[in-house]
Amino acid sequence: MKKIEFKEIQNYIIFGSGQFVNLLAPLLVAPYVISVCGIEQWGKIGAATSIFIILEIFIDFGSKLLGVKEISSNLENKNRISQYLNVTYAFRFIALLFIITCLIFILVFIPNLDINLYLFGSFLLMSQFFNPIWFYIGIENFKQINRLIIVSKAIYILLVYLFVKQKSDYVYVIFFLGIGNTLVYSYYYFQIFKEYKMSLLSISKKTLIDSVKREYPIVVSNLSIAVYTNFPILIIKYILGDFYAGIYKIGDMFLSVLRSYLTVFFNVSFPKFCSIYFNNKKEAVSYLKKMNGANILFLTFVVIVLYLVSLFFIDEFNLEKKLMTSLLFCTPILFVSLIVALNIPFYQMLILKNKQRKIAQISFLGALVMFFGCYFLTENFSLQGSIISLYIVEIFITVSIIISSLALFKE
């Protein structure tokens, strides 16, 4: 057991160090881009990035969750993994072509859109087709994930600092992220392609349709999650303008740091939980309680420290009153992560028990609560209202997931 626990800690450290670089990239890019291009342009970048994140869900489909489960459950069956890779990437290719076509149509026929920002940013969608990180999570090769992240983000940061030199260059920021990811992801994708002798053209129409039917509930769930986490900035941009969208993007950037940490925790613990559960259910439940208890305690400490540090730095910098007040409104956003952390063990149990439809229903309702709540509260209470709406949505999601999964722990 000690060896298993040591390996578990080692996986967290290895994967966590890569994610640290992943999180460091926007923290290094943001101050530079804001200083060169302005907070309003940063707001435009934030809104466009949110749209691309939502669109990426259709390319990923169910691979980030069901794909990890499928790979981790068939480590000794190379043919099964090869078949799943073929189906997954065949669908990704079709989805990518469809989304790019629709995006070009929208850019051409809908006026007042920032054409260059979205056209160049579409390279981020291309990189998502190649993205093999979910596969390496499934086989628990976290060192390989680190290489992917570190090299791609190094390219991104370097390109931004080399070529973003004037206000109008903000249109290239997402493009550089897409280029860095595409170069690195495609290299590892073709290695996997060769090792597993993939053949995307061998997939039948029926196989693709069966895959869609099996995975679409989790896609609805992922899409709903993407909507309620990324749509607020679009509502803020529409109601309050690019300045406040830029301010919100700064607050959301720090929340994203904590969300990414939770993603690390989820991605490392979920394959392990699955493998233990099929051998010993009681031990698996005990594992969940122990790991998530430690996780929540650690996260609480981190959030409190970040909150106090952010208040100190905002007070120390000589900022104009409007900017300082807006940033102060964003600091409570950090505590949203604690609510998210509470639902992780229950969410994992729902996925393990193939309750994707239930997850999809909860997430869809959460997206509706966010959309109407955020719009109403932002319109009436400005930026503070949008922060309140985040708490309302996450509490609704967490309570619903916990209630839905409690009975499963007794089975």
Side-chain angles (χ1 to χ4, degrees):
M1 186 68 182
K2 288 183 178 179
K3 288 183 179 179
I4 294 175
E5 289 178 351
F6 175 76
K7 183 182 177 182
E8 197 76 7
I9 294 170
Q10 193 176 42
N11 284 342
Y12 279 112
I13 293 172
I14 293 171
F15 193 24
S17 62
Q19 288 299 312
F20 175 75
V21 174
N22 212 16
L23 301 172
L24 190 62
L27 296 179
L28 291 174
V29 166
Y32 177 75
V33 173
I34 292 171
S35 66
V36 174
C37 305
I39 192 86
E40 289 83 2
Q41 314 309 320
W42 182 246
K44 293 177 182 179
I45 292 168
T49 302
S50 293
I51 290 173
F52 286 123
I53 289 172
I54 292 171
L55 291 176
E56 284 174 357
I57 299 299
F58 296 101
I59 298 173
D60 289 335
F61 219 62
S63 59
K64 282 189 174 180
L65 289 176
L66 298 184
V68 170
K69 178 185 172 184
E70 188 73 20
I71 299 298
S72 63
S73 302
N74 292 281
L75 292 177
E76 304 301 322
N77 190 342
K78 194 169 183 178
N79 287 334
R80 180 72 188 104
I81 292 177
S82 179
Q83 290 171 6
Y84 189 83
L85 287 170
N86 285 334
V87 174
T88 298
Y89 278 102
F91 181 85
R92 282 188 173 205
F93 182 72
I94 294 170
L96 177 64
L97 287 181
F98 179 77
I99 292 170
I100 294 293
T101 302
C102 291
L103 184 63
I104 292 172
F105 180 84
I106 291 170
L107 291 175
V108 170
F109 291 99
I110 296 182
N112 302 322
L113 284 178
D114 200 331
I115 294 177
N116 288 334
L117 178 63
Y118 288 92
L119 195 60
F120 289 130
S122 62
F123 272 81
L124 194 59
L125 298 176
M126 186 184 299
S127 72
Q128 202 61 25
F129 163 77
F130 292 111
N131 191 345
I133 289 177
W134 66 276
F135 169 78
Y136 287 120
I137 291 171
I139 64 173
E140 297 188 60
N141 190 342
F142 298 107
K143 290 182 179 179
Q144 197 75 295
I145 295 172
N146 276 8
R147 296 187 190 100
L148 277 156
I149 293 171
I150 292 170
V151 177
S152 62
K153 291 304 177 288
I155 294 172
Y156 166 51
I157 295 169
L158 183 63
L159 289 174
V160 168
Y161 274 83
L162 285 177
F163 296 105
V164 176
K165 297 298 181 183
Q166 55 187 1
K167 189 174 182 178
S168 60
D169 290 340
Y170 76 95
V171 298
Y172 303 119
V173 173
I174 303 176
F175 170 67
F176 291 146
L177 177 60
I179 287 294
N181 288 351
T182 299
L183 289 173
V184 179
Y185 291 172
S186 61
Y187 172 78
Y188 286 97
Y189 163 77
F190 285 115
Q191 283 191 333
I192 296 170
F193 191 97
K194 182 178 179 181
E195 181 180 352
Y196 287 87
K197 299 177 181 177
M198 292 167 58
S199 177
L200 306 190
L201 297 177
S202 65
I203 303 302
S204 67
K205 182 180 178 181
K206 184 181 182 301
T207 303
L208 281 174
I209 292 173
D210 290 342
S211 176
V212 171
K213 288 179 179 178
R214 184 176 62 254
E215 298 188 9
Y216 89 87
I218 204 67
V219 176
V220 173
S221 172
N222 289 341
L223 180 61
S224 300
I225 292 170
V227 167
Y228 74 68
T229 54
N230 290 283
F231 230 71
I233 192 172
L234 302 178
I235 294 173
I236 292 167
K237 175 181 169 66
Y238 176 74
I239 296 175
L240 303 177
D242 290 325
F243 176 84
Y244 285 103
I247 294 295
Y248 179 85
K249 178 62 179 175
I250 294 173
D252 184 62
M253 187 169 60
F254 286 100
L255 178 59
S256 295
V257 169
L258 299 174
R259 285 189 189 275
S260 294
Y261 159 74
L262 291 174
T263 300
V264 171
F265 177 82
F266 184 97
N267 287 336
V268 174
S269 63
F270 184 56
K272 184 68 178 178
F273 169 61
C274 290
S275 62
I276 295 176
Y277 188 87
F278 292 119
N279 294 317
N280 190 318
K281 294 179 181 180
K282 287 186 178 180
E283 186 180 338
V285 173
S286 175
Y287 168 82
L288 272 189
K289 290 178 180 178
K290 179 177 67 176
M291 297 304 294
N292 283 278
N295 174 52
I296 290 170
L297 286 174
F298 174 72
L299 186 64
T300 302
F301 171 76
V302 171
V303 167
I304 291 172
V305 170
L306 285 177
Y307 180 74
L308 295 175
V309 169
S310 64
L311 291 179
F312 172 77
F313 275 102
I314 289 173
D315 188 56
E316 283 296 306
F317 283 106
N318 187 24
L319 303 174
E320 58 176 284
K321 187 176 180 181
K322 182 182 178 183
L323 181 58
M324 183 175 179
T325 304
S326 300
L327 287 172
L328 284 170
F329 276 135
C330 281
T331 50
I333 202 174
L334 296 171
F335 292 92
V336 172
S337 61
L338 295 177
I339 303 172
V340 178
L342 289 173
N343 71 46
I344 286 180
F346 305 95
Y347 189 66
Q348 289 181 334
M349 180 60 78
L350 286 174
I351 295 172
L352 183 73
K353 292 290 187 175
N354 294 314
K355 300 296 182 181
Q356 287 91 345
R357 289 181 183 274
K358 176 61 68 175
I359 295 171
Q361 291 168 0
I362 293 170
S363 302
F364 180 73
L365 289 173
L368 289 179
V369 171
M370 185 288 304
F371 184 82
F372 292 107
C374 185
Y375 190 93
F376 173 79
L377 290 170
T378 302
E379 195 169 41
N380 288 276
F381 302 101
S382 190
L383 194 60
Q384 192 172 21
S386 61
I387 305 299
I388 294 170
S389 71
L390 286 181
Y391 279 90
I392 293 172
V393 172
E394 292 298 352
I395 289 171
F396 170 80
I397 294 287
T398 297
V399 170
S400 300
I401 286 176
I402 290 173
I403 292 173
S404 299
S405 61
L406 281 176
L408 299 178
F409 281 90
K410 299 176 182 179
E411 292 182 1

